[in-house]
Amino acid sequence: MKARFDRIFKRKTGFATLDRLLGRLHANKAELLRVLDRPEIPLHTNGSENDIRCQVIRRKISGTTRSDPGRNARDAFLGLAKTCRKLGISFWDYLGSRLGADVSGAVPELHRLVALRCTA
């Protein structure tokens, strides 16, 4: 399966956007194939699709970003906001804590909160 993954995602198509996407997918090979080692991971993406629904609606209303860095920033902040919501912490408190504003006490780093949630 891993060799087949490499054969598919190391392919060069001649289309810059598609080649960049295939490269990004190949860079995440370990995460994408984790299901082979952990069969309890769901194969469907229903949770992920629900997470991006608000972004799709925004894109339909206002159009897309104008640059790749803009898209990356939007995706990063959307991911942070969704993770904070799932963990029950304020996104703005988290962001303020990371930027040194410390508006409502120190908020732990997300990876620590996620690890605690996974062990609970």
Side-chain angles (χ1 to χ4, degrees):
M1 185 70 85
K2 292 178 181 181
R4 190 172 183 191
F5 184 94
D6 286 338
R7 193 170 57 249
I8 292 169
F9 292 102
K10 282 187 172 181
R11 179 180 306 179
K12 296 295 178 198
T13 66
F15 296 96
T17 304
L18 181 56
D19 288 343
R20 187 171 52 240
L21 176 62
L22 290 172
R24 280 191 358 216
L25 288 168
H26 189 267
N28 293 314
K29 176 182 176 180
E31 291 82 15
L32 292 170
L33 295 181
R34 186 167 293 145
V35 70
L36 299 175
D37 299 323
R38 306 218 17 224
E40 70 275 9
I41 296 174
L43 294 177
H44 59 78
T45 59
N46 295 344
S48 298
E49 292 195 18
N50 286 336
D51 287 347
I52 65 166
R53 185 172 306 280
C54 67
Q55 180 54 40
V56 171
I57 292 168
R58 178 177 288 151
R59 185 182 65 221
K60 284 181 179 180
I61 293 169
S62 65
T64 188
T65 58
R66 295 179 187 211
S67 65
D68 285 342
R71 185 198 70 229
N72 293 340
R74 179 205 60 214
D75 292 348
F77 278 100
L78 180 63
L80 283 172
K82 292 288 184 174
T83 303
C84 287
R85 181 177 298 142
K86 287 182 179 183
L87 294 172
I89 61 173
S90 164
F91 169 71
W92 296 109
D93 289 349
Y94 173 78
L95 195 59
S97 182
R98 296 286 78 77
L99 296 174
D102 200 32
V103 292
S104 68
V107 177
E109 295 172 335
L110 286 183
H111 70 91
R112 296 185 196 289
L113 292 172
V114 170
L116 286 173
R117 176 72 61 92
C118 290
T119 59

